[in-house]
Amino acid sequence: MNKYSSAAIISLSLVSGSSIAALAPETGFSGEVNLLAGYYRDTNNFSTNHSAYQQDITSKAESSDEANNEVDGDGIAGLLGNVDYTFGSKLNHQLFLGTSREEIATGSLAFELGYRYQFKDGTTVAFSTLPTLVSTEVWADPYAINENRKKTDLSGNAGRIKVDHLMGSAFGVDFGFGVAEVDEDNSGEDAQTEIIATDGEVLTAEEAELLQRDRKYASMKVDYLYFLPNKMGAVRPSFTYAKSDADGEALSYDSYKAEISYAKVIGHHSYAVTLDARKRDYDAVNPLYDVTREDKQYGLFFAYEYAEIFGAKDWGLVTLMGANKIDSNINYYDSDFLFVSVGANYKF
């Protein structure tokens, strides 16, 4: 089985329509594993890593710092990677699971399981499910005050259809869709018996229903890959529209996201940096604050790899860093997230 160098994998993930290649050099298994250890800082009133007790719902969360040295710890996944199985006489069929190098390089760390097919003109279509994207723990009533909030499970299903090198071009289209359900959703229950709303009144049952979190969602992303002249690297701008239709109209929204990624390989060094900005417009007045929520979100992600470290052909040094900030017109929804990780990468 051929061993991929860092540069080869980056090049395959950013291949242009004028340079169509098979999905892999030969039939069989290939992939990589990233073992990471990291540190993160999180400020988010909805995170179950924070204290279950809160005194009010009017201020931004306090930060929570945690060093993460476990493979499957919270916040930062300590184990990333992917396994592909390529087959077919033209090497145009592929089964895959894990998180691809391209997704890691842009900060999209969701686990995928799916199938990919490449057409004669170079178009590739991938169908996948993302079983870990939705499932997590949440507060049953995140707005409860002067008591310990109880945890419950958020579960659901998410799917994806991703088209790259559309008709041999540098365009790509990415469709996402899914559903999410909170097992025990008591959002606003405390506010029906205790005055916590900013208007000084308890919520009615009808108002509390506006905060229900079960939802359906869909998104569409369009991107374009451009290679800079004189081997200066590759740039991929994109735009994403997403619609979240929650049972609670105050939590339903339309989202607009612009993103740009830059990648470059210099010898053993591979770099990728991604910047994004997003705006969410919610559908109805939030009954707790008597205003309609609006969020602005900004993100930065950086990935670096030094291939063949200490002369080991299949091993590399990997560093991932990311930051994310949500600035809402309602202070309680403001959040910040920062993480840094370092580790080893093994290719097979």
Side-chain angles (χ1 to χ4, degrees):
M1 180 180 299
N2 291 342
K3 306 296 185 180
Y4 299 139
S5 68
S6 173
I9 293 180
I10 288 287
S11 298
L12 285 172
S13 69
L14 297 180
V15 66
S16 70
S18 61
S19 177
I20 301 303
L23 294 177
E26 60 185 35
T27 298
F29 287 97
S30 61
E32 59 184 308
V33 177
N34 295 278
L35 302 173
L36 301 169
Y39 165 86
Y40 75 85
R41 187 185 68 218
D42 184 21
T43 59
N44 184 345
N45 280 312
F46 293 89
S47 172
T48 55
N49 291 324
H50 288 264
S51 172
Y53 184 88
Q54 63 180 358
Q55 292 182 314
D56 64 72
I57 59 165
T58 60
S59 59
K60 178 180 177 179
E62 296 180 357
S63 66
S64 173
D65 296 355
E66 180 174 333
N68 173 20
N69 295 311
E70 299 180 1
V71 171
D72 58 349
D74 292 332
I76 301 174
L79 178 62
L80 292 173
N82 64 284
V83 177
D84 301 329
Y85 180 75
T86 306
F87 59 100
S89 60
K90 297 181 180 180
L91 300 176
N92 59 342
H93 299 268
Q94 193 173 74
L95 301 175
F96 61 91
L97 63 87
T99 305
S100 71
R101 171 173 289 267
E102 180 184 352
E103 299 300 317
I104 293 175
T106 57
S108 302
L109 305 181
F111 180 92
E112 285 188 90
L113 172 64
Y115 165 76
R116 182 179 293 112
Y117 178 79
Q118 184 180 60
F119 292 89
K120 291 181 180 180
D121 64 1
T123 302
T124 61
V125 180
F127 304 88
S128 63
T129 180
L130 297 85
T132 64
L133 184 64
V134 178
S135 302
T136 187
E137 281 190 328
V138 296
W139 299 118
D141 184 0
Y143 308 103
I145 63 173
N146 299 322
E147 63 180 74
N148 285 328
R149 293 175 290 179
K150 297 180 180 179
K151 295 180 182 179
T152 189
D153 292 324
L154 172 67
S155 59
N157 295 291
R160 185 182 192 188
I161 301 173
K162 191 172 188 292
V163 181
D164 289 311
H165 319 306
L166 183 63
M167 299 180 67
S169 72
F171 283 98
V173 185
D174 193 344
F175 301 94
F177 47 89
V179 296
E181 296 181 352
V182 178
D183 288 352
E184 186 181 352
D185 193 356
N186 299 325
S187 292
E189 183 178 273
D190 191 45
Q192 294 182 66
T193 58
E194 184 173 352
I195 296 176
I196 63 175
T198 56
D199 62 5
E201 298 181 1
V202 298
L203 297 187
T204 65
E206 290 76 15
E207 288 175 324
E209 288 181 358
L210 294 173
L211 302 172
Q212 293 297 294
R213 290 168 285 177
D214 288 359
R215 64 188 175 107
K216 299 176 182 178
Y217 57 91
S219 66
M220 184 180 74
K221 175 181 177 180
V222 179
D223 63 61
Y224 180 82
L225 178 64
Y226 176 71
F227 283 90
L228 299 173
N230 301 319
K231 298 182 180 180
M232 293 298 293
V235 176
R236 190 195 299 271
S238 67
F239 177 81
T240 304
Y241 168 75
K243 175 69 175 179
S244 178
D245 186 11
D247 286 356
E249 193 175 357
L251 299 184
S252 298
Y253 62 80
D254 294 277
S255 172
Y256 311 89
K257 178 182 177 182
E259 180 179 271
I260 186 167
S261 298
Y262 170 78
K264 183 173 177 58
V265 179
I266 306 176
H268 291 274
H269 306 275
S270 302
Y271 307 87
V273 60
T274 299
L275 299 171
D276 67 80
R278 179 183 305 179
K279 185 176 185 293
R280 295 191 188 93
D281 294 326
Y282 288 77
D283 291 355
V285 172
N286 189 308
L288 292 169
Y289 304 96
D290 204 28
V291 296
T292 302
R293 179 179 169 186
E294 295 179 358
D295 292 347
K296 296 179 181 179
Q297 181 172 335
Y298 309 96
L300 166 67
F301 190 84
F302 175 78
Y304 166 78
E305 180 183 0
Y306 184 88
E308 300 183 12
I309 188 170
F310 303 127
K313 184 178 180 180
D314 304 325
W315 288 89
L317 173 69
V318 178
T319 297
L320 304 176
M321 295 181 287
N324 191 281
K325 177 182 177 62
I326 295 178
D327 183 14
S328 177
N329 63 333
I330 301 173
N331 290 338
Y332 187 75
Y333 294 106
D334 287 351
S335 69
D336 297 279
F337 182 78
L338 170 70
F339 81 91
V340 179
S341 67
V342 64
N345 172 274
Y346 175 74
K347 305 175 185 67
F348 59 90

